[in-house]
Amino acid sequence: MFYVKNLPWWERTLRIGAGLVAAAYAGLNLDGYARWGVMACGLGIALTGFFGFFPACALAGRRLEKNARKIRS
């Protein structure tokens, strides 16, 4: 890929879970534009976990240690 993963495996797992829970909650309990907005945010959070890259962390200069990149890449 064109990017270096900047999220450790445990944070990726949490992001995927929290994003999917937020999207499911919005789909079941909200109406109108709030539903679509929360679903989009939840899916965006889940996608950052799936890809292992979060742009805000990259802007802040966050990098994984070399050992963590080799184990869970």
Side-chain angles (χ1 to χ4, degrees):
M1 287 271 162
F2 298 111
Y3 59 89
V4 176
K5 292 181 179 174
N6 60 3
L7 297 176
W9 67 269
W10 61 269
E11 189 172 345
R12 293 175 66 186
T13 304
L14 286 176
R15 281 183 174 275
I16 292 170
L20 292 178
V21 166
Y25 173 80
L28 296 174
N29 296 318
L30 298 177
D31 290 323
Y33 291 117
R35 170 185 282 175
W36 295 107
V38 174
M39 284 179 75
C41 289
L43 292 176
I45 292 169
L47 283 174
T48 61
F50 179 74
F51 289 114
F53 179 77
F54 187 54
C57 290
L59 285 173
R62 181 178 180 189
R63 301 193 193 290
L64 287 178
E65 295 177 10
K66 289 185 179 184
N67 294 336
R69 274 188 263 156
K70 289 180 184 175
I71 294 172
R72 298 288 178 171
S73 293

